[in-house]
Coordinates of all heavy atoms in Angstrom, one line a residue:
L9 N 18.8 -22.6 1.7 CA 18.9 -21.2 1.2 C 18.1 -21.0 0.0 O 17.5 -19.9 -0.2 CB 20.4 -20.9 0.9 CG 21.2 -20.5 2.1 CD1 22.7 -20.3 1.7 CD2 20.7 -19.2 2.7
H10 N 17.9 -22.1 -0.8 CA 17.1 -22.0 -2.0 C 15.6 -21.6 -1.6 O 15.0 -20.7 -2.3 CB 17.1 -23.3 -2.7 CG 16.5 -23.3 -4.0 ND1 17.0 -22.7 -5.1 CD2 15.3 -23.8 -4.5 CE1 16.2 -22.8 -6.2 NE2 15.2 -23.5 -5.8
V11 N 15.1 -22.3 -0.6 CA 13.7 -22.0 -0.2 C 13.6 -20.6 0.4 O 12.7 -19.8 0.1 CB 13.3 -23.1 0.8 CG1 11.9 -22.7 1.4 CG2 13.2 -24.4 0.2
I12 N 14.6 -20.2 1.2 CA 14.6 -18.9 1.8 C 14.6 -17.8 0.7 O 13.9 -16.8 0.7 CB 15.8 -18.7 2.8 CG1 15.7 -19.6 4.0 CG2 15.9 -17.2 3.2 CD1 16.9 -19.6 4.9
K13 N 15.4 -18.1 -0.3 CA 15.5 -17.1 -1.4 C 14.2 -17.0 -2.1 O 13.7 -15.9 -2.4 CB 16.6 -17.7 -2.4 CG 16.9 -16.9 -3.6 CD 18.1 -17.5 -4.3 CE 18.5 -16.8 -5.5 NZ 17.6 -16.9 -6.7
D14 N 13.6 -18.1 -2.4 CA 12.3 -18.1 -3.1 C 11.3 -17.3 -2.3 O 10.5 -16.6 -2.9 CB 11.8 -19.5 -3.4 CG 12.4 -20.2 -4.5 OD1 13.2 -19.5 -5.2 OD2 12.2 -21.4 -4.7
R15 N 11.3 -17.5 -1.0 CA 10.3 -16.9 -0.2 C 10.5 -15.4 -0.1 O 9.6 -14.6 -0.2 CB 10.4 -17.4 1.3 CG 9.1 -17.6 2.0 CD 9.2 -18.4 3.2 NE 10.4 -18.0 4.0 CZ 10.8 -18.6 5.1 NH1 10.2 -19.7 5.5 NH2 11.8 -18.2 5.8
C16 N 11.8 -15.0 -0.1 CA 12.1 -13.5 0.0 C 11.9 -12.9 -1.3 O 11.5 -11.7 -1.4 CB 13.6 -13.3 0.4 SG 13.9 -13.7 2.1
E17 N 12.0 -13.6 -2.4 CA 11.9 -13.0 -3.7 C 10.5 -12.8 -4.3 O 10.3 -12.2 -5.3 CB 12.8 -13.7 -4.8 CG 14.3 -13.4 -4.5 CD 15.2 -14.0 -5.6 OE1 14.7 -14.9 -6.3 OE2 16.3 -13.6 -5.7
V18 N 9.5 -13.3 -3.5 CA 8.2 -13.0 -3.9 C 7.9 -11.5 -3.9 O 8.3 -10.8 -3.0 CB 7.2 -13.7 -2.8 CG1 5.8 -13.2 -3.0 CG2 7.3 -15.2 -2.9
N19 N 7.3 -11.1 -5.0 CA 7.1 -9.6 -5.1 C 6.0 -9.2 -4.0 O 5.0 -9.8 -3.9 CB 6.6 -9.3 -6.5 CG 7.7 -9.3 -7.5 OD1 8.8 -9.5 -7.1 ND2 7.3 -9.0 -8.7
D20 N 6.3 -8.1 -3.3 CA 5.4 -7.6 -2.4 C 4.8 -6.3 -3.1 O 5.2 -5.2 -2.8 CB 6.1 -7.2 -1.1 CG 5.1 -6.9 0.0 OD1 3.9 -6.5 -0.3 OD2 5.5 -7.0 1.2
T21 N 3.8 -6.6 -3.9 CA 3.2 -5.5 -4.7 C 2.5 -4.4 -3.9 O 2.5 -3.2 -4.2 CB 2.3 -6.0 -5.8 OG1 1.4 -6.9 -5.2 CG2 3.0 -6.7 -6.9
A22 N 2.0 -4.8 -2.7 CA 1.3 -3.9 -1.8 C 2.2 -2.7 -1.5 O 1.7 -1.6 -1.3 CB 0.8 -4.5 -0.6
V23 N 3.5 -3.0 -1.3 CA 4.4 -1.9 -0.9 C 5.5 -1.7 -1.9 O 6.5 -1.1 -1.7 CB 5.0 -2.1 0.5 CG1 4.0 -1.9 1.6 CG2 5.7 -3.4 0.6
C24 N 5.3 -2.2 -3.1 CA 6.2 -2.1 -4.2 C 7.6 -2.6 -3.8 O 8.6 -1.9 -4.0 CB 6.3 -0.7 -4.7 SG 4.8 0.0 -5.3
L25 N 7.7 -3.7 -3.1 CA 9.0 -4.2 -2.7 C 9.3 -5.5 -3.4 O 8.5 -6.4 -3.5 CB 9.0 -4.5 -1.2 CG 10.3 -4.9 -0.5 CD1 11.2 -3.7 -0.4 CD2 10.1 -5.5 0.9
R26 N 10.5 -5.5 -4.0 CA 11.0 -6.7 -4.7 C 12.3 -7.0 -4.2 O 13.2 -6.2 -4.2 CB 11.0 -6.4 -6.2 CG 11.4 -7.7 -7.0 CD 11.2 -7.3 -8.5 NE 12.2 -6.3 -8.9 CZ 13.3 -6.6 -9.6 NH1 13.6 -7.8 -9.9 NH2 14.1 -5.6 -9.9
A27 N 12.5 -8.3 -3.7 CA 13.8 -8.6 -3.1 C 14.6 -9.4 -4.2 O 14.1 -10.2 -4.9 CB 13.6 -9.5 -1.9
I28 N 15.9 -9.1 -4.3 CA 16.8 -9.9 -5.1 C 17.8 -10.5 -4.2 O 18.5 -9.8 -3.4 CB 17.5 -8.9 -6.1 CG1 16.5 -8.2 -7.0 CG2 18.5 -9.7 -7.0 CD1 17.1 -7.1 -7.8
C29 N 18.0 -11.8 -4.3 CA 18.9 -12.5 -3.4 C 20.2 -12.8 -4.1 O 20.2 -13.3 -5.3 CB 18.3 -13.7 -2.8 SG 16.8 -13.4 -1.8
H30 N 21.3 -12.7 -3.4 CA 22.6 -13.1 -4.0 C 23.4 -13.8 -3.0 O 23.5 -13.4 -1.8 CB 23.3 -11.8 -4.4 CG 24.7 -12.1 -5.0 ND1 24.8 -12.4 -6.4 CD2 25.9 -12.0 -4.5 CE1 26.1 -12.6 -6.6 NE2 26.8 -12.4 -5.6
E31 N 23.9 -15.0 -3.3 CA 24.7 -15.8 -2.4 C 26.0 -16.1 -3.0 O 26.1 -16.4 -4.2 CB 23.9 -17.1 -2.1 CG 24.6 -18.0 -1.1 CD 24.1 -19.4 -1.2 OE1 23.1 -19.7 -1.9 OE2 24.7 -20.3 -0.6
D32 N 27.1 -16.0 -2.3 CA 28.4 -16.3 -2.8 C 29.4 -16.6 -1.7 O 29.3 -16.0 -0.6 CB 29.0 -15.0 -3.6 CG 29.9 -15.4 -4.7 OD1 30.9 -16.1 -4.4 OD2 29.6 -15.1 -5.8
N33 N 30.2 -17.6 -1.9 CA 31.2 -17.9 -0.9 C 32.5 -17.1 -1.0 O 33.3 -17.1 -0.1 CB 31.6 -19.4 -1.0 CG 30.5 -20.3 -0.6 OD1 29.7 -20.0 0.2 ND2 30.5 -21.5 -1.2
N34 N 32.5 -16.3 -2.0 CA 33.7 -15.5 -2.3 C 33.6 -14.1 -1.8 O 32.7 -13.4 -2.3 CB 34.0 -15.6 -3.8 CG 35.2 -14.8 -4.2 OD1 35.6 -13.8 -3.6 ND2 35.9 -15.4 -5.2
K35 N 34.4 -13.6 -0.9 CA 34.3 -12.3 -0.3 C 34.3 -11.2 -1.4 O 33.6 -10.2 -1.3 CB 35.3 -12.1 0.8 CG 35.1 -10.8 1.5 CD 36.0 -10.6 2.7 CE 37.5 -10.5 2.3 NZ 38.4 -10.3 3.4
G36 N 35.3 -11.3 -2.3 CA 35.4 -10.3 -3.4 C 34.1 -10.2 -4.2 O 33.7 -9.1 -4.5
E37 N 33.5 -11.3 -4.5 CA 32.2 -11.2 -5.2 C 31.1 -10.5 -4.4 O 30.3 -9.8 -5.0 CB 31.7 -12.7 -5.5 CG 32.6 -13.5 -6.4 CD 32.7 -13.0 -7.8 OE1 31.7 -12.4 -8.3 OE2 33.7 -13.2 -8.5
L38 N 31.2 -10.7 -3.1 CA 30.2 -10.0 -2.3 C 30.4 -8.5 -2.3 O 29.5 -7.7 -2.4 CB 30.2 -10.6 -0.8 CG 29.7 -12.0 -0.7 CD1 30.0 -12.5 0.7 CD2 28.2 -12.1 -1.0
V39 N 31.7 -8.2 -2.2 CA 32.1 -6.7 -2.2 C 31.6 -6.1 -3.5 O 31.0 -5.1 -3.6 CB 33.6 -6.5 -2.0 CG1 34.0 -5.1 -2.3 CG2 33.9 -6.9 -0.6
D40 N 31.9 -6.8 -4.6 CA 31.4 -6.4 -6.0 C 29.9 -6.2 -6.0 O 29.4 -5.2 -6.5 CB 31.8 -7.4 -7.1 CG 33.3 -7.4 -7.3 OD1 34.0 -6.5 -6.9 OD2 33.7 -8.3 -8.0
W41 N 29.2 -7.1 -5.4 CA 27.7 -7.1 -5.4 C 27.2 -5.8 -4.7 O 26.4 -5.1 -5.2 CB 27.2 -8.4 -4.8 CG 25.7 -8.4 -4.5 CD1 25.1 -8.2 -3.2 CD2 24.6 -8.6 -5.4 NE1 23.8 -8.3 -3.3 CE2 23.4 -8.5 -4.7 CE3 24.6 -8.8 -6.8 CZ2 22.2 -8.7 -5.2 CZ3 23.3 -8.9 -7.4 CH2 22.2 -8.9 -6.6
F42 N 27.8 -5.6 -3.5 CA 27.4 -4.4 -2.8 C 27.8 -3.1 -3.5 O 27.1 -2.1 -3.5 CB 28.0 -4.4 -1.4 CG 27.4 -5.5 -0.5 CD1 28.2 -6.4 0.2 CD2 26.0 -5.6 -0.3 CE1 27.7 -7.4 1.0 CE2 25.5 -6.6 0.5 CZ 26.3 -7.5 1.1
Q43 N 28.9 -3.1 -4.2 CA 29.4 -1.9 -4.9 C 28.5 -1.7 -6.2 O 28.4 -0.6 -6.6 CB 30.8 -2.0 -5.3 CG 31.7 -1.8 -4.1 CD 33.2 -2.0 -4.5 OE1 33.5 -2.7 -5.5 NE2 34.1 -1.5 -3.7
E44 N 27.9 -2.7 -6.6 CA 27.1 -2.6 -7.9 C 25.6 -2.4 -7.6 O 24.7 -2.6 -8.4 CB 27.2 -3.9 -8.7 CG 28.5 -4.0 -9.4 CD 28.9 -5.4 -9.9 OE1 28.0 -6.2 -9.9 OE2 30.0 -5.6 -10.2
T45 N 25.3 -1.9 -6.3 CA 23.9 -1.7 -6.0 C 23.3 -0.7 -7.1 O 24.0 0.2 -7.5 CB 23.7 -1.1 -4.6 OG1 24.6 -0.1 -4.4 CG2 23.8 -2.2 -3.6
R46 N 22.1 -1.1 -7.5 CA 21.6 -0.3 -8.7 C 20.7 0.9 -8.2 O 20.4 0.9 -7.0 CB 20.7 -1.3 -9.5 CG 21.5 -2.3 -10.2 CD 20.7 -3.6 -10.3 NE 20.4 -4.1 -9.0 CZ 21.2 -5.0 -8.4 NH1 22.2 -5.5 -9.0 NH2 20.8 -5.5 -7.2
Q47 N 20.5 1.8 -9.1 CA 19.8 3.0 -8.7 C 18.4 2.7 -8.1 O 17.9 3.4 -7.3 CB 19.6 3.8 -10.0 CG 19.8 5.3 -9.7 CD 19.9 6.1 -11.0 OE1 19.6 5.6 -12.0 NE2 20.4 7.3 -10.8
E48 N 17.8 1.6 -8.6 CA 16.4 1.3 -8.1 C 16.4 0.6 -6.8 O 15.4 0.3 -6.2 CB 15.6 0.5 -9.1 CG 16.1 -0.9 -9.4 CD 17.1 -0.9 -10.6 OE1 17.7 0.1 -10.9 OE2 17.2 -2.0 -11.2
D49 N 17.6 0.2 -6.3 CA 17.7 -0.5 -5.0 C 17.4 0.5 -3.8 O 17.8 1.6 -3.8 CB 19.1 -1.1 -4.8 CG 19.4 -2.2 -5.7 OD1 18.4 -2.8 -6.3 OD2 20.6 -2.5 -5.9
S50 N 16.7 -0.1 -2.9 CA 16.2 0.8 -1.7 C 16.9 0.4 -0.4 O 16.9 1.2 0.5 CB 14.7 0.7 -1.5 OG 14.1 0.9 -2.7
G51 N 17.4 -0.8 -0.3 CA 18.0 -1.2 0.9 C 18.7 -2.6 0.8 O 18.5 -3.3 -0.2
I52 N 19.5 -2.9 1.8 CA 20.3 -4.2 1.8 C 20.0 -4.9 3.0 O 20.0 -4.4 4.1 CB 21.8 -3.8 1.7 CG1 22.2 -3.1 0.5 CG2 22.6 -5.1 1.9 CD1 23.6 -2.5 0.5
L53 N 19.7 -6.2 2.9 CA 19.7 -7.2 4.0 C 21.0 -7.9 3.9 O 21.2 -8.5 2.8 CB 18.5 -8.1 3.9 CG 17.1 -7.6 3.8 CD1 16.1 -8.7 4.0 CD2 16.8 -6.6 4.9
C54 N 21.8 -8.0 4.9 CA 23.1 -8.6 4.7 C 23.4 -9.6 5.8 O 23.4 -9.3 7.0 CB 24.2 -7.5 4.8 SG 25.9 -8.2 4.8
D55 N 23.5 -10.9 5.3 CA 24.0 -12.0 6.2 C 25.4 -12.3 5.6 O 25.5 -13.0 4.6 CB 23.1 -13.2 6.2 CG 23.7 -14.3 7.1 OD1 24.9 -14.2 7.5 OD2 22.9 -15.2 7.5
A56 N 26.4 -11.7 6.1 CA 27.8 -11.9 5.6 C 28.4 -13.2 6.1 O 29.6 -13.4 5.8 CB 28.6 -10.7 5.9
G57 N 27.7 -14.0 6.7 CA 28.3 -15.3 7.2 C 29.5 -15.0 8.1 O 29.5 -14.1 8.8
A58 N 30.5 -15.9 7.9 CA 31.7 -15.7 8.7 C 32.4 -14.4 8.5 O 33.2 -13.9 9.3 CB 32.6 -16.9 8.5
Y59 N 32.2 -13.8 7.2 CA 32.9 -12.6 6.9 C 32.4 -11.4 7.8 O 33.0 -10.4 8.0 CB 32.7 -12.2 5.5 CG 33.3 -13.1 4.5 CD1 32.6 -13.6 3.4 CD2 34.6 -13.5 4.6 CE1 33.1 -14.5 2.5 CE2 35.2 -14.4 3.7 CZ 34.4 -14.9 2.6 OH 35.0 -15.7 1.8
T60 N 31.2 -11.6 8.4 CA 30.7 -10.7 9.4 C 31.7 -10.3 10.4 O 31.9 -9.1 10.8 CB 29.5 -11.3 10.2 OG1 28.5 -11.7 9.2 CG2 28.9 -10.4 11.2
H61 N 32.5 -11.3 10.8 CA 33.4 -11.1 12.0 C 34.8 -10.7 11.6 O 35.7 -10.5 12.4 CB 33.4 -12.4 12.8 CG 32.0 -13.0 13.0 ND1 31.1 -12.4 13.7 CD2 31.4 -14.1 12.5 CE1 29.9 -13.1 13.7 NE2 30.2 -14.2 12.9
T62 N 35.0 -10.7 10.3 CA 36.4 -10.5 9.8 C 36.6 -9.4 8.8 O 37.7 -8.9 8.6 CB 37.0 -11.8 9.2 OG1 36.2 -12.1 8.1 CG2 37.0 -12.9 10.2
S63 N 35.5 -9.0 8.1 CA 35.7 -8.2 6.9 C 35.4 -6.7 7.0 O 34.3 -6.3 7.3 CB 34.8 -8.8 5.7 OG 35.0 -8.0 4.6

Side-chain angles (χ1 to χ4, degrees):
L9 278 173
H10 188 71
V11 173
I12 292 173
K13 181 173 179 288
D14 282 352
R15 217 169 47 190
C16 289
E17 285 187 340
V18 168
N19 284 359
D20 189 340
T21 47
V23 289
C24 302
L25 185 72
R26 184 172 65 102
I28 301 168
C29 299
H30 181 80
E31 183 198 350
D32 210 301
N33 288 333
N34 182 325
K35 185 169 69 175
E37 297 289 333
L38 293 173
V39 169
D40 289 348
W41 171 256
F42 291 126
Q43 284 176 340
E44 285 161 14
T45 47
R46 292 147 299 266
Q47 219 167 15
E48 66 269 24
D49 291 341
S50 312
I52 297 171
L53 306 186
C54 175
D55 182 343
Y59 295 130
T60 301
H61 317 292
T62 59
S63 178

